[in-house]
Amino acid sequence: MSRQKVFSMRQAKGVLSAALIAAMLAGCGSNTGGNAPSQGTDTGEGANKPAGQEQVELRFAWWGSQGRHDRTLQAIERFQTKYPQIKVVPEYSSWDGYWEKLSTQVAAKNAPDVMQMSILYIKEYSERNVLNDLNPYVGSALSIDQLNPDVIANQGTVAGKLTGIPAADNASVMLINKEMFKQAGIEPPAIDSTWEELFAKSGELRAKLGDVYGVFDASSSLEAFMYYLFSKGDQLYSGNELGYNDDNLKSWLEMWAQARADGLATPANVTTAALPLSNADPNKDALLKGQVAMYGPTWVAAFPAYESVMTENVDLIAYPHAEKTGSVLQTAMFFSAASQSKHPEEAAMLIDFLVNSEEAADVLETERGLPENKQIRTFLEPKYTDRDKKMIAMLEHVTASEPSLYDAGPKGAGEVTALFEQVVQKHQFGVATTDEVVAEFRTEANKIFAKNNN
């Protein structure tokens, strides 16, 4: 069967991407698009808090797909209708561009007033005093009554400061291209599979379809390696250092080297061209381009971005298991405020609106994941689509599997994540041995942690 027939979706993807980009540009130009504000009732205590009449401007930054951008712009419009004295200036980009820009802004003491924050970086940004303590606004401008207190205490609070308000629940998963399995006449992998089973599926696909790859090579992703460790009963960090058994990193690297050699996983040049994982960019993403049939790790919250392009041709499975599941639970993302914001109360009001109001939920729905606010979940139930029900079912499946909790690591984990990618890429390109990579990563990573955690 020809490659052209298997991947005939590409032209449609290009047209759809162009249309979405045009819609984004139109929204940025006028800031008047979107639906009329809903008449929903706010659930947050601070939602109807009066504010001064002086015109206030808030910059709000987030990462995500075009679908997230469109929905968030509509939510901003509704916030501005409710609070006409507050103007919100949107700043949004892809995952990789977001963090590069935010790092530059922070260094220049020009961080956005409100920003979407990842569990990967919340501890680091909090300890650097980039993020504001929202505790003083709880009960007035901001309500946390309907949010999970364990998440607030253990993930949103850093060193006693409430620096992150959880937006949604999430779980790590793999995505599969159902169309490729259909074209090959092969059953897709089971929801709970081992790496051995996924590589076996890859071999079947290659035998049927020719020059395709079953699995995207995730060996250079520290996040992917962490899930592998969890499935083995090991851990990535211990205190302020790496905490895993080196034999597990050796097994991880050798597993992927064999998969590349057998043509089951993407070769190094294809892999590096598609990084970072979960970028949801049709021009880079290996799953959307039809280069691979199984892709991850990504998150349940990323599913709508893929489903909007691939429709019924994409599905979710758990991250591969060994002794236990490799999938983890975590907060999908947080909303945080900048410590140097000139308008901290208004920043808290915007966060409250995004997390607690039915007006915002009416347009945001489940795009960022299953809402953390319990009342908002109930409000949205009549609107749940088949896609939403699939996402919720996956979250419930992972929850029932006794998963590990995502470990953001000690200060410096972001730098160590980048180091892991750089070091493992030497292994992918065949310029470093397994033992060299294992030794170099441990030595250099612990230097980074020592530097950041004195």
Side-chain angles (χ1 to χ4, degrees), residues 365-434:
E365 296 183 344
T366 59
E367 198 285 329
R368 281 178 168 85
L370 187 63
E372 181 74 23
N373 184 305
K374 294 186 290 292
Q375 289 186 1
I376 292 300
R377 292 185 191 183
T378 301
F379 167 74
L380 288 174
E381 278 182 5
K383 300 182 68 174
Y384 286 158
T385 63
D386 289 342
R387 179 197 70 194
D388 298 329
K389 293 174 183 176
K390 183 186 292 287
M391 294 166 64
I392 293 168
M394 193 67 214
L395 282 166
E396 291 176 344
H397 177 82
V398 171
T399 301
S401 302
E402 299 183 358
S404 299
L405 295 177
Y406 188 95
D407 187 352
K411 189 176 181 181
E415 190 177 349
V416 168
T417 298
L419 171 70
F420 188 78
E421 181 178 308
Q422 294 164 8
V423 173
V424 175
Q425 280 182 355
K426 298 178 186 178
H427 194 257
Q428 291 174 323
F429 281 98
V431 297
T433 67
T434 299

Side-chain angles (χ1 to χ4, degrees), residues 195 218-219 224-225 228 248-256 319:
W195 280 113
S219 61
F225 177 53
Y228 176 80
N248 281 327
L249 180 51
K250 290 180 182 179
S251 296
W252 172 255
L253 295 172
E254 290 168 355
M255 176 183 79
W256 284 108
Y319 202 71

